[in-house]
Amino acid sequence: MQRPTYGQSPPLHHPVPQHVSTVPQLRSPPPPTAQPQSHGYDGSPYPQQQQQAPQGGNMFGQYGNFMNDPTAQIATQFGQTAFRQGQDYLEKNVNRFVNVSALKHYFNVTNSYVINKLFLVLFPWRHKPWTRRQASDSGAGSGQEAWFYLPPRDDINSPDMYIPVMSIVTYVFLRTLIAGLRGEFKPELFGVVATTAVVLVGLEILALTIGCYLLSISNKSQLLDLVAYSGYKFVGVIVTIVISEIFNGGKGTGGWVGWTLFVYTFLANSLFLMRSLKYVLLPENNNTNQGPMQTMHPLDSRAKRSQRTQFLFAYSYPVQALLMWVLCRP
Amino acid sequence: MTFLGKIIYVTVLILNAIVVLSEDRFLARVNLTPDTHNRSFGTNGVDRSVKYNAIQLIASIRTLTRIPLVPINILIIVYELVLG
């Protein structure tokens, strides 16, 4: 008996499981098929899979149907739109409070810069040129020069925020570690130490800003510089705490080792600050090409200059001594 | 008391101290008002003396925070009385 000729049969669909796996097709190699020859092709799953497409169609078809499913496509687009909207919202709001591009300048560091800067904070006496290097933005039009300071990557004298942030975090962990070694750890200690450190830095910046206002030192975009410079003292504090903890069980108040180390790091940090902040508080150059800092009026009285020098000295030495002592207490 | 509460109390107390000073009885005696001292130096940015800047600071703190400090003080007093 002859079979009746039907029309062209519809394309055969192998039964496809409806709960598709959430692994998108493009990102991870598809699981090995049930064919026995998969072992020889471990390095390149994709060409292997495509060769076997007519044979192992159900697995590949599963992925194909996942991407062709209109619901999945709508979901993908919705996810992308939501993500993009979230990014825009974040950019708009964060940019209003925090100058993100200026922050990026401070984190533009290299390994050699970090090592050299740490050495400089702990031993600043032999370093010779302390001025920050500048460059001009040559893309501007004629006659309009936009000067900016070189990032820390190219200039050892430029302040960065990487070392201060890292040293504050290290200080918090070190404090809690030592408290734990003594058996007096409690989980609130993290918050207490971190808050103390941040509040001390904040008070210092506040006092510095009031001092700058009283002395009519105009700082253009230098607030983050001052924050960075006030974070460098944590390096000396950490060194003092670690070494004095090794040598005697006590703290900086305990014995000769702790106190001499404290005095040494305090002097090093203060000299580093005085030399580095000279360009902020006592600018000297009256060249024809103006840098981004203010230049002193040639008619400025000696009284004002000596006032500013005294202010810089008072900030570098006694204020730092007080703060470092507070941070090094047991 | 919470940490933020302490900070708020300290700032409000300091601002109160600056605002409460009587202008004609005290500040004029010590020459810390804008009219007893100035006009002796120029008032552009570079020539200002420290005392002039301090006077400006005190005067502007007084002018700006005199009005908002009243409701803030009322709130703090009510908080202290009612909620201990």
mmCIF file with all atom_site columns, all heavy atoms in Angstrom, chain A residues 195 199 210 213-216 297 300 304 307, chain B residues 3 7 45-46 48-50 53-54 56-57:
data_model
loop_
_atom_site.group_PDB
_atom_site.id
_atom_site.type_symbol
_atom_site.label_atom_id
_atom_site.label_alt_id
_atom_site.label_comp_id
_atom_site.label_asym_id
_atom_site.label_entity_id
_atom_site.label_seq_id
_atom_site.pdbx_PDB_ins_code
_atom_site.Cartn_x
_atom_site.Cartn_y
_atom_site.Cartn_z
_atom_site.occupancy
_atom_site.B_iso_or_equiv
_atom_site.pdbx_formal_charge
_atom_site.auth_seq_id
_atom_site.auth_comp_id
_atom_site.auth_asym_id
_atom_site.auth_atom_id
_atom_site.pdbx_PDB_model_num
ATOM 1   N N   . THR A 1 195 ? 35.927 56.378 63.233 1.00 0.00 ? 195 THR A N   1
ATOM 2   C CA  . THR A 1 195 ? 35.314 57.687 63.431 1.00 0.00 ? 195 THR A CA  1
ATOM 3   C C   . THR A 1 195 ? 36.291 58.668 64.040 1.00 0.00 ? 195 THR A C   1
ATOM 4   O O   . THR A 1 195 ? 36.319 59.846 63.662 1.00 0.00 ? 195 THR A O   1
ATOM 5   C CB  . THR A 1 195 ? 34.086 57.547 64.346 1.00 0.00 ? 195 THR A CB  1
ATOM 6   O OG1 . THR A 1 195 ? 33.386 56.370 63.992 1.00 0.00 ? 195 THR A OG1 1
ATOM 7   C CG2 . THR A 1 195 ? 33.192 58.736 64.211 1.00 0.00 ? 195 THR A CG2 1
ATOM 8   N N   . VAL A 1 199 ? 37.227 62.057 62.155 1.00 0.00 ? 199 VAL A N   1
ATOM 9   C CA  . VAL A 1 199 ? 36.878 63.328 62.799 1.00 0.00 ? 199 VAL A CA  1
ATOM 10  C C   . VAL A 1 199 ? 38.119 64.185 63.015 1.00 0.00 ? 199 VAL A C   1
ATOM 11  O O   . VAL A 1 199 ? 38.076 65.412 62.844 1.00 0.00 ? 199 VAL A O   1
ATOM 12  C CB  . VAL A 1 199 ? 36.154 63.039 64.126 1.00 0.00 ? 199 VAL A CB  1
ATOM 13  C CG1 . VAL A 1 199 ? 36.193 64.235 65.030 1.00 0.00 ? 199 VAL A CG1 1
ATOM 14  C CG2 . VAL A 1 199 ? 34.723 62.671 63.853 1.00 0.00 ? 199 VAL A CG2 1
ATOM 15  N N   . ILE A 1 210 ? 39.700 77.781 58.180 1.00 0.00 ? 210 ILE A N   1
ATOM 16  C CA  . ILE A 1 210 ? 39.467 79.042 58.883 1.00 0.00 ? 210 ILE A CA  1
ATOM 17  C C   . ILE A 1 210 ? 40.745 79.877 58.899 1.00 0.00 ? 210 ILE A C   1
ATOM 18  O O   . ILE A 1 210 ? 40.728 81.096 58.674 1.00 0.00 ? 210 ILE A O   1
ATOM 19  C CB  . ILE A 1 210 ? 38.955 78.768 60.305 1.00 0.00 ? 210 ILE A CB  1
ATOM 20  C CG1 . ILE A 1 210 ? 37.573 78.178 60.240 1.00 0.00 ? 210 ILE A CG1 1
ATOM 21  C CG2 . ILE A 1 210 ? 38.935 80.034 61.116 1.00 0.00 ? 210 ILE A CG2 1
ATOM 22  C CD1 . ILE A 1 210 ? 36.971 77.934 61.591 1.00 0.00 ? 210 ILE A CD1 1
ATOM 23  N N   . TYR A 1 213 ? 41.252 81.454 55.577 1.00 0.00 ? 213 TYR A N   1
ATOM 24  C CA  . TYR A 1 213 ? 40.361 82.585 55.357 1.00 0.00 ? 213 TYR A CA  1
ATOM 25  C C   . TYR A 1 213 ? 40.843 83.805 56.122 1.00 0.00 ? 213 TYR A C   1
ATOM 26  O O   . TYR A 1 213 ? 40.844 84.928 55.608 1.00 0.00 ? 213 TYR A O   1
ATOM 27  C CB  . TYR A 1 213 ? 38.937 82.220 55.788 1.00 0.00 ? 213 TYR A CB  1
ATOM 28  C CG  . TYR A 1 213 ? 38.044 83.425 55.823 1.00 0.00 ? 213 TYR A CG  1
ATOM 29  C CD1 . TYR A 1 213 ? 37.579 83.991 54.653 1.00 0.00 ? 213 TYR A CD1 1
ATOM 30  C CD2 . TYR A 1 213 ? 37.698 84.012 57.026 1.00 0.00 ? 213 TYR A CD2 1
ATOM 31  C CE1 . TYR A 1 213 ? 36.789 85.100 54.676 1.00 0.00 ? 213 TYR A CE1 1
ATOM 32  C CE2 . TYR A 1 213 ? 36.906 85.128 57.056 1.00 0.00 ? 213 TYR A CE2 1
ATOM 33  C CZ  . TYR A 1 213 ? 36.442 85.678 55.874 1.00 0.00 ? 213 TYR A CZ  1
ATOM 34  O OH  . TYR A 1 213 ? 35.662 86.773 55.908 1.00 0.00 ? 213 TYR A OH  1
ATOM 35  N N   . LEU A 1 214 ? 41.272 83.586 57.370 1.00 0.00 ? 214 LEU A N   1
ATOM 36  C CA  . LEU A 1 214 ? 41.696 84.736 58.163 1.00 0.00 ? 214 LEU A CA  1
ATOM 37  C C   . LEU A 1 214 ? 42.929 85.400 57.584 1.00 0.00 ? 214 LEU A C   1
ATOM 38  O O   . LEU A 1 214 ? 43.105 86.604 57.684 1.00 0.00 ? 214 LEU A O   1
ATOM 39  C CB  . LEU A 1 214 ? 41.974 84.295 59.599 1.00 0.00 ? 214 LEU A CB  1
ATOM 40  C CG  . LEU A 1 214 ? 40.735 84.017 60.419 1.00 0.00 ? 214 LEU A CG  1
ATOM 41  C CD1 . LEU A 1 214 ? 41.125 83.610 61.812 1.00 0.00 ? 214 LEU A CD1 1
ATOM 42  C CD2 . LEU A 1 214 ? 39.870 85.242 60.470 1.00 0.00 ? 214 LEU A CD2 1
ATOM 43  N N   . LEU A 1 215 ? 43.796 84.600 56.976 1.00 0.00 ? 215 LEU A N   1
ATOM 44  C CA  . LEU A 1 215 ? 45.001 85.189 56.420 1.00 0.00 ? 215 LEU A CA  1
ATOM 45  C C   . LEU A 1 215 ? 44.838 85.585 54.968 1.00 0.00 ? 215 LEU A C   1
ATOM 46  O O   . LEU A 1 215 ? 45.815 85.941 54.321 1.00 0.00 ? 215 LEU A O   1
ATOM 47  C CB  . LEU A 1 215 ? 46.151 84.184 56.531 1.00 0.00 ? 215 LEU A CB  1
ATOM 48  C CG  . LEU A 1 215 ? 46.654 83.993 57.939 1.00 0.00 ? 215 LEU A CG  1
ATOM 49  C CD1 . LEU A 1 215 ? 47.633 82.860 57.972 1.00 0.00 ? 215 LEU A CD1 1
ATOM 50  C CD2 . LEU A 1 215 ? 47.329 85.248 58.401 1.00 0.00 ? 215 LEU A CD2 1
ATOM 51  N N   . SER A 1 216 ? 43.625 85.482 54.459 1.00 0.00 ? 216 SER A N   1
ATOM 52  C CA  . SER A 1 216 ? 43.298 85.794 53.065 1.00 0.00 ? 216 SER A CA  1
ATOM 53  C C   . SER A 1 216 ? 44.222 85.071 52.100 1.00 0.00 ? 216 SER A C   1
ATOM 54  O O   . SER A 1 216 ? 44.796 85.657 51.200 1.00 0.00 ? 216 SER A O   1
ATOM 55  C CB  . SER A 1 216 ? 43.269 87.287 52.779 1.00 0.00 ? 216 SER A CB  1
ATOM 56  O OG  . SER A 1 216 ? 44.474 87.889 53.133 1.00 0.00 ? 216 SER A OG  1
ATOM 57  N N   . HIS A 1 297 ? 51.591 89.476 45.614 1.00 0.00 ? 297 HIS A N   1
ATOM 58  C CA  . HIS A 1 297 ? 51.705 90.836 45.132 1.00 0.00 ? 297 HIS A CA  1
ATOM 59  C C   . HIS A 1 297 ? 53.078 91.353 45.513 1.00 0.00 ? 297 HIS A C   1
ATOM 60  O O   . HIS A 1 297 ? 53.512 91.152 46.628 1.00 0.00 ? 297 HIS A O   1
ATOM 61  C CB  . HIS A 1 297 ? 50.607 91.667 45.801 1.00 0.00 ? 297 HIS A CB  1
ATOM 62  C CG  . HIS A 1 297 ? 50.230 92.856 45.009 1.00 0.00 ? 297 HIS A CG  1
ATOM 63  N ND1 . HIS A 1 297 ? 49.655 92.786 43.766 1.00 0.00 ? 297 HIS A ND1 1
ATOM 64  C CD2 . HIS A 1 297 ? 50.369 94.154 45.265 1.00 0.00 ? 297 HIS A CD2 1
ATOM 65  C CE1 . HIS A 1 297 ? 49.429 93.995 43.323 1.00 0.00 ? 297 HIS A CE1 1
ATOM 66  N NE2 . HIS A 1 297 ? 49.853 94.859 44.204 1.00 0.00 ? 297 HIS A NE2 1
ATOM 67  N N   . ASP A 1 300 ? 53.433 93.211 48.805 1.00 0.00 ? 300 ASP A N   1
ATOM 68  C CA  . ASP A 1 300 ? 52.986 92.607 50.055 1.00 0.00 ? 300 ASP A CA  1
ATOM 69  C C   . ASP A 1 300 ? 53.970 92.887 51.166 1.00 0.00 ? 300 ASP A C   1
ATOM 70  O O   . ASP A 1 300 ? 55.173 92.767 50.998 1.00 0.00 ? 300 ASP A O   1
ATOM 71  C CB  . ASP A 1 300 ? 52.851 91.097 49.883 1.00 0.00 ? 300 ASP A CB  1
ATOM 72  C CG  . ASP A 1 300 ? 51.401 90.712 49.793 1.00 0.00 ? 300 ASP A CG  1
ATOM 73  O OD1 . ASP A 1 300 ? 50.556 91.489 50.241 1.00 0.00 ? 300 ASP A OD1 1
ATOM 74  O OD2 . ASP A 1 300 ? 51.129 89.633 49.273 1.00 0.00 ? 300 ASP A OD2 1
ATOM 75  N N   . LYS A 1 304 ? 52.785 90.473 56.479 1.00 0.00 ? 304 LYS A N   1
ATOM 76  C CA  . LYS A 1 304 ? 51.896 89.410 56.019 1.00 0.00 ? 304 LYS A CA  1
ATOM 77  C C   . LYS A 1 304 ? 52.677 88.142 55.725 1.00 0.00 ? 304 LYS A C   1
ATOM 78  O O   . LYS A 1 304 ? 52.228 87.043 56.014 1.00 0.00 ? 304 LYS A O   1
ATOM 79  C CB  . LYS A 1 304 ? 51.155 89.869 54.764 1.00 0.00 ? 304 LYS A CB  1
ATOM 80  C CG  . LYS A 1 304 ? 49.974 90.737 55.070 1.00 0.00 ? 304 LYS A CG  1
ATOM 81  C CD  . LYS A 1 304 ? 49.264 91.125 53.813 1.00 0.00 ? 304 LYS A CD  1
ATOM 82  C CE  . LYS A 1 304 ? 48.528 89.960 53.205 1.00 0.00 ? 304 LYS A CE  1
ATOM 83  N NZ  . LYS A 1 304 ? 47.459 89.491 54.072 1.00 0.00 ? 304 LYS A NZ  1
ATOM 84  N N   . GLN A 1 307 ? 53.523 86.544 58.865 1.00 0.00 ? 307 GLN A N   1
ATOM 85  C CA  . GLN A 1 307 ? 52.329 85.924 59.449 1.00 0.00 ? 307 GLN A CA  1
ATOM 86  C C   . GLN A 1 307 ? 52.055 84.573 58.812 1.00 0.00 ? 307 GLN A C   1
ATOM 87  O O   . GLN A 1 307 ? 51.751 83.597 59.496 1.00 0.00 ? 307 GLN A O   1
ATOM 88  C CB  . GLN A 1 307 ? 51.115 86.816 59.193 1.00 0.00 ? 307 GLN A CB  1
ATOM 89  C CG  . GLN A 1 307 ? 50.733 87.684 60.339 1.00 0.00 ? 307 GLN A CG  1
ATOM 90  C CD  . GLN A 1 307 ? 49.544 88.528 59.992 1.00 0.00 ? 307 GLN A CD  1
ATOM 91  O OE1 . GLN A 1 307 ? 49.004 88.421 58.895 1.00 0.00 ? 307 GLN A OE1 1
ATOM 92  N NE2 . GLN A 1 307 ? 49.136 89.371 60.895 1.00 0.00 ? 307 GLN A NE2 1
ATOM 93  N N   . PHE B 2 3   ? 26.761 60.051 68.499 1.00 0.00 ? 3   PHE B N   1
ATOM 94  C CA  . PHE B 2 3   ? 27.922 60.840 68.110 1.00 0.00 ? 3   PHE B CA  1
ATOM 95  C C   . PHE B 2 3   ? 27.507 62.066 67.318 1.00 0.00 ? 3   PHE B C   1
ATOM 96  O O   . PHE B 2 3   ? 27.974 63.187 67.551 1.00 0.00 ? 3   PHE B O   1
ATOM 97  C CB  . PHE B 2 3   ? 28.845 59.947 67.291 1.00 0.00 ? 3   PHE B CB  1
ATOM 98  C CG  . PHE B 2 3   ? 30.085 60.622 66.877 1.00 0.00 ? 3   PHE B CG  1
ATOM 99  C CD1 . PHE B 2 3   ? 31.044 60.927 67.797 1.00 0.00 ? 3   PHE B CD1 1
ATOM 100 C CD2 . PHE B 2 3   ? 30.282 60.969 65.555 1.00 0.00 ? 3   PHE B CD2 1
ATOM 101 C CE1 . PHE B 2 3   ? 32.198 61.566 67.420 1.00 0.00 ? 3   PHE B CE1 1
ATOM 102 C CE2 . PHE B 2 3   ? 31.421 61.601 65.161 1.00 0.00 ? 3   PHE B CE2 1
ATOM 103 C CZ  . PHE B 2 3   ? 32.388 61.894 66.098 1.00 0.00 ? 3   PHE B CZ  1
ATOM 104 N N   . ILE B 2 7   ? 27.957 66.200 68.077 1.00 0.00 ? 7   ILE B N   1
ATOM 105 C CA  . ILE B 2 7   ? 28.527 67.192 67.164 1.00 0.00 ? 7   ILE B CA  1
ATOM 106 C C   . ILE B 2 7   ? 27.552 68.347 66.950 1.00 0.00 ? 7   ILE B C   1
ATOM 107 O O   . ILE B 2 7   ? 27.941 69.523 66.947 1.00 0.00 ? 7   ILE B O   1
ATOM 108 C CB  . ILE B 2 7   ? 28.878 66.523 65.828 1.00 0.00 ? 7   ILE B CB  1
ATOM 109 C CG1 . ILE B 2 7   ? 30.069 65.600 66.013 1.00 0.00 ? 7   ILE B CG1 1
ATOM 110 C CG2 . ILE B 2 7   ? 29.204 67.546 64.782 1.00 0.00 ? 7   ILE B CG2 1
ATOM 111 C CD1 . ILE B 2 7   ? 30.550 64.988 64.737 1.00 0.00 ? 7   ILE B CD1 1
ATOM 112 N N   . GLY B 2 45  ? 41.165 91.948 47.749 1.00 0.00 ? 45  GLY B N   1
ATOM 113 C CA  . GLY B 2 45  ? 41.489 90.649 48.331 1.00 0.00 ? 45  GLY B CA  1
ATOM 114 C C   . GLY B 2 45  ? 42.834 90.547 49.014 1.00 0.00 ? 45  GLY B C   1
ATOM 115 O O   . GLY B 2 45  ? 42.980 89.884 50.034 1.00 0.00 ? 45  GLY B O   1
ATOM 116 N N   . VAL B 2 46  ? 43.827 91.240 48.478 1.00 0.00 ? 46  VAL B N   1
ATOM 117 C CA  . VAL B 2 46  ? 45.168 90.965 48.988 1.00 0.00 ? 46  VAL B CA  1
ATOM 118 C C   . VAL B 2 46  ? 45.459 91.777 50.233 1.00 0.00 ? 46  VAL B C   1
ATOM 119 O O   . VAL B 2 46  ? 46.204 91.348 51.107 1.00 0.00 ? 46  VAL B O   1
ATOM 120 C CB  . VAL B 2 46  ? 46.196 91.285 47.891 1.00 0.00 ? 46  VAL B CB  1
ATOM 121 C CG1 . VAL B 2 46  ? 47.585 90.916 48.343 1.00 0.00 ? 46  VAL B CG1 1
ATOM 122 C CG2 . VAL B 2 46  ? 45.839 90.520 46.642 1.00 0.00 ? 46  VAL B CG2 1
ATOM 123 N N   . ARG B 2 48  ? 43.700 92.688 52.779 1.00 0.00 ? 48  ARG B N   1
ATOM 124 C CA  . ARG B 2 48  ? 42.928 92.610 54.021 1.00 0.00 ? 48  ARG B CA  1
ATOM 125 C C   . ARG B 2 48  ? 43.790 92.104 55.143 1.00 0.00 ? 48  ARG B C   1
ATOM 126 O O   . ARG B 2 48  ? 44.502 91.116 55.007 1.00 0.00 ? 48  ARG B O   1
ATOM 127 C CB  . ARG B 2 48  ? 41.774 91.645 53.832 1.00 0.00 ? 48  ARG B CB  1
ATOM 128 C CG  . ARG B 2 48  ? 40.756 92.180 52.902 1.00 0.00 ? 48  ARG B CG  1
ATOM 129 C CD  . ARG B 2 48  ? 39.572 91.268 52.889 1.00 0.00 ? 48  ARG B CD  1
ATOM 130 N NE  . ARG B 2 48  ? 38.722 91.598 51.767 1.00 0.00 ? 48  ARG B NE  1
ATOM 131 C CZ  . ARG B 2 48  ? 37.988 90.729 51.119 1.00 0.00 ? 48  ARG B CZ  1
ATOM 132 N NH1 . ARG B 2 48  ? 38.002 89.483 51.504 1.00 0.00 ? 48  ARG B NH1 1
ATOM 133 N NH2 . ARG B 2 48  ? 37.241 91.100 50.120 1.00 0.00 ? 48  ARG B NH2 1
ATOM 134 N N   . SER B 2 49  ? 43.665 92.749 56.286 1.00 0.00 ? 49  SER B N   1
ATOM 135 C CA  . SER B 2 49  ? 44.445 92.295 57.426 1.00 0.00 ? 49  SER B CA  1
ATOM 136 C C   . SER B 2 49  ? 43.692 91.161 58.103 1.00 0.00 ? 49  SER B C   1
ATOM 137 O O   . SER B 2 49  ? 42.533 90.892 57.823 1.00 0.00 ? 49  SER B O   1
ATOM 138 C CB  . SER B 2 49  ? 44.666 93.437 58.389 1.00 0.00 ? 49  SER B CB  1
ATOM 139 O OG  . SER B 2 49  ? 43.429 93.830 58.931 1.00 0.00 ? 49  SER B OG  1
ATOM 140 N N   . VAL B 2 50  ? 44.388 90.554 59.044 1.00 0.00 ? 50  VAL B N   1
ATOM 141 C CA  . VAL B 2 50  ? 43.782 89.432 59.756 1.00 0.00 ? 50  VAL B CA  1
ATOM 142 C C   . VAL B 2 50  ? 42.587 89.901 60.560 1.00 0.00 ? 50  VAL B C   1
ATOM 143 O O   . VAL B 2 50  ? 41.541 89.254 60.614 1.00 0.00 ? 50  VAL B O   1
ATOM 144 C CB  . VAL B 2 50  ? 44.823 88.772 60.661 1.00 0.00 ? 50  VAL B CB  1
ATOM 145 C CG1 . VAL B 2 50  ? 44.197 87.634 61.422 1.00 0.00 ? 50  VAL B CG1 1
ATOM 146 C CG2 . VAL B 2 50  ? 45.980 88.280 59.850 1.00 0.00 ? 50  VAL B CG2 1
ATOM 147 N N   . ASN B 2 53  ? 39.544 90.410 58.473 1.00 0.00 ? 53  ASN B N   1
ATOM 148 C CA  . ASN B 2 53  ? 38.923 89.136 58.110 1.00 0.00 ? 53  ASN B CA  1
ATOM 149 C C   . ASN B 2 53  ? 38.175 88.524 59.276 1.00 0.00 ? 53  ASN B C   1
ATOM 150 O O   . ASN B 2 53  ? 37.080 87.975 59.105 1.00 0.00 ? 53  ASN B O   1
ATOM 151 C CB  . ASN B 2 53  ? 39.982 88.161 57.612 1.00 0.00 ? 53  ASN B CB  1
ATOM 152 C CG  . ASN B 2 53  ? 40.225 88.318 56.140 1.00 0.00 ? 53  ASN B CG  1
ATOM 153 O OD1 . ASN B 2 53  ? 39.347 88.753 55.421 1.00 0.00 ? 53  ASN B OD1 1
ATOM 154 N ND2 . ASN B 2 53  ? 41.410 87.970 55.706 1.00 0.00 ? 53  ASN B ND2 1
ATOM 155 N N   . ALA B 2 54  ? 38.760 88.647 60.473 1.00 0.00 ? 54  ALA B N   1
ATOM 156 C CA  . ALA B 2 54  ? 38.079 88.094 61.636 1.00 0.00 ? 54  ALA B CA  1
ATOM 157 C C   . ALA B 2 54  ? 36.778 88.836 61.896 1.00 0.00 ? 54  ALA B C   1
ATOM 158 O O   . ALA B 2 54  ? 35.756 88.236 62.240 1.00 0.00 ? 54  ALA B O   1
ATOM 159 C CB  . ALA B 2 54  ? 38.993 88.181 62.856 1.00 0.00 ? 54  ALA B CB  1
ATOM 160 N N   . GLN B 2 56  ? 34.951 90.386 59.658 1.00 0.00 ? 56  GLN B N   1
ATOM 161 C CA  . GLN B 2 56  ? 33.981 89.964 58.650 1.00 0.00 ? 56  GLN B CA  1
ATOM 162 C C   . GLN B 2 56  ? 33.396 88.614 59.000 1.00 0.00 ? 56  GLN B C   1
ATOM 163 O O   . GLN B 2 56  ? 32.189 88.386 58.826 1.00 0.00 ? 56  GLN B O   1
ATOM 164 C CB  . GLN B 2 56  ? 34.672 89.870 57.285 1.00 0.00 ? 56  GLN B CB  1
ATOM 165 C CG  . GLN B 2 56  ? 34.948 91.186 56.641 1.00 0.00 ? 56  GLN B CG  1
ATOM 166 C CD  . GLN B 2 56  ? 33.673 91.935 56.326 1.00 0.00 ? 56  GLN B CD  1
ATOM 167 O OE1 . GLN B 2 56  ? 33.350 92.910 56.982 1.00 0.00 ? 56  GLN B OE1 1
ATOM 168 N NE2 . GLN B 2 56  ? 32.960 91.465 55.336 1.00 0.00 ? 56  GLN B NE2 1
ATOM 169 N N   . LEU B 2 57  ? 34.241 87.715 59.495 1.00 0.00 ? 57  LEU B N   1
ATOM 170 C CA  . LEU B 2 57  ? 33.760 86.382 59.834 1.00 0.00 ? 57  LEU B CA  1
ATOM 171 C C   . LEU B 2 57  ? 32.725 86.438 60.938 1.00 0.00 ? 57  LEU B C   1
ATOM 172 O O   . LEU B 2 57  ? 31.647 85.831 60.842 1.00 0.00 ? 57  LEU B O   1
ATOM 173 C CB  . LEU B 2 57  ? 34.950 85.514 60.253 1.00 0.00 ? 57  LEU B CB  1
ATOM 174 C CG  . LEU B 2 57  ? 34.690 84.038 60.439 1.00 0.00 ? 57  LEU B CG  1
ATOM 175 C CD1 . LEU B 2 57  ? 34.289 83.438 59.135 1.00 0.00 ? 57  LEU B CD1 1
ATOM 176 C CD2 . LEU B 2 57  ? 35.933 83.373 60.951 1.00 0.00 ? 57  LEU B CD2 1
#
